[in-house]
Amino acid sequence: MKGQDSSRYWSGYELRRNRMVERLQQMGISRQEVLLAMTSIPRHLFIEEALRSRAYDDMSLPLGLGQTISQPYTVAVMTQLLMADRTAAQCGRTLEIGTGCGYQTAVLQAAGLHDLFSIERLRPLCERAKKNLRAIGLPTFARLICGDGYLGLEQQAPFNSIIVTAAPREVPVALLQQLAIGGRMVLPLDDGNAQFLWVIDKTPSGFRETCVQQALFVPLVNDKMPPM
Ligand code: SAH
C-alpha cells in the first residue's frame, strides 16, 4: 500500500502498539531494550489477518496447528529475565526452543541478541517464521532450524542464553548440558497441575534455580518422532 491510505493503516497499529508497551511498563517491564524492541516489532504481521485487530491486546492468539503466539506480557517477561543483570552482548550465543511464528525471535533480535538460533518442530510454522522475519527486515537474521528442541543444538553449543517457549514436564537434559557456565535458561515447567516460569543459572559449582511466577504455555512435545 502506498500514499495516505498506507500511512493511516500503519498509524492505527502503531498507536495500539505504543499502548501495549505502556501497559507492559505498568505491569513491571522496565528494561529499555525490551520496551524498545516491542515498540519496534509489528506484532500484527505475525498474526493471520482475521485476528489482526487483536494483535496488540495482551492475549495469546492461535497460530494454527494447535499452537499459539504467546501473550505480549509473557514475551516481555521472558526476555527481561533472560537479560537481567547482563548487557545484550553478555547474553551471547542464544538458543530459542519453539519458534512458532517468530515473534519472540524478532523481539530477542531487536533487543540486541544477534547470535541467535531458534528451533521449531512443525515445518509449516518454521517456514512461516522465516517469511515473517524476512518481511520485517531486521538487519541481522536468526538461524531457524526445523527439528526437535528437546535435543537442543549440540553442534552450536555452548549457549550463554536459552529460552524455551513451550512447557516440558522436566528440564531437558540436553539443554542443561548445552548451557555455558555463567549462562542462563528461562523456561516454563509443567508439574502436572500448573506451570511455572523458572530461571536456571549455570554456575561453576552447579545450577541455581529460581521459580518466578505462574505461566501458561503449550506443551513442549517430547516424541522421538522425526519432525513433521
Ligand atoms: N515463541 C512463540 C511461541 C510459540 S508456541 C511466540 O513467539 O509466540 C510454542 C511452539 O513450540 C509451538 O510452535 C510448538 O510447535 C513448538 N514446540 C513444541 N515442542 C517442541 C519441540 N520439542 N521442539 C521444537 N519446538 C517445539
Side-chain angles (χ1 to χ4, degrees):
M1 289 213 301
K2 289 222 154 46
Q4 253 194 333
D5 281 340
S6 110
S7 64
R8 252 190 254 132
Y9 174 83
W10 284 102
S11 63
Y13 282 121
E14 255 175 48
L15 191 65
R16 289 187 223 181
R17 189 157 62 245
N18 290 338
R19 290 209 182 113
M20 173 190 82
V21 172
E22 277 168 28
R23 279 197 309 274
L24 292 174
Q25 269 178 300
Q26 286 158 10
M27 293 167 87
I29 305 300
S30 55
R31 185 70 184 250
Q32 276 310 304
E33 291 98 321
V34 178
L35 294 168
L36 288 174
M38 294 187 70
T39 304
S40 70
I41 302 296
R43 188 172 189 258
H44 61 281
L45 296 184
F46 291 80
I47 289 166
E48 61 182 271
E49 262 181 86
L51 295 170
R52 278 191 184 165
S53 62
R54 319 299 301 268
Y56 296 104
D57 296 348
D58 195 31
M59 62 196 297
S60 56
L61 291 167
L63 285 179
L65 302 171
Q67 308 304 324
T68 54
I69 177 170
S70 302
Q71 71 181 103
Y73 175 70
T74 303
V75 171
V77 162
M78 289 185 88
T79 312
Q80 183 162 277
L81 287 170
L82 199 67
M83 296 182 76
D85 305 320
R86 301 193 289 176
T87 62
Q90 286 167 340
C91 292
R93 177 156 285 203
T94 301
L95 176 65
E96 179 193 28
I97 311 292
T99 320
C101 61
Y103 177 69
Q104 170 81 73
T105 321
V107 169
L108 292 169
Q109 276 182 254
L113 278 59
H114 292 157
D115 188 10
L116 178 58
F117 295 82
S118 185
I119 308 179
E120 167 59 52
R121 70 181 272 282
L122 298 174
R123 188 168 294 281
L125 287 182
C126 198
E127 295 304 323
R128 200 189 306 168
K130 273 185 196 159
K131 231 168 76 189
N132 290 341
L133 288 168
R134 243 181 241 121
I136 62 167
L138 289 171
T140 57
F141 202 81
R143 280 153 285 183
L144 305 189
I145 295 117
C146 184
D148 183 1
Y150 242 92
L151 307 173
L153 200 59
E154 201 176 358
Q155 63 275 30
Q156 300 293 346
F159 295 96
N160 310 95
S161 307
I162 299 180
I163 175 170
V164 185
T165 66
R169 296 295 291 259
E170 286 172 9
V171 187
V173 175
L175 299 185
L176 290 173
Q177 288 167 344
Q178 292 171 26
L179 194 59
I181 291 176
R184 178 178 304 147
M185 170 157 40
V186 178
L187 85 168
L189 280 177
D190 192 327
D191 68 8
N193 294 312
Q195 293 180 10
F196 292 90
L197 207 53
W198 288 81
V199 174
I200 300 179
D201 286 296
K202 189 168 182 174
T203 71
S205 55
F207 294 99
R208 192 173 55 239
E209 297 163 0
T210 315
C211 182
V212 181
Q213 62 191 51
Q214 221 166 350
L216 194 57
F217 286 82
V218 296
L220 186 74
V221 176
N222 182 13
D223 54 16
K224 300 282 177 275
M225 306 278 289
M228 284 171 64

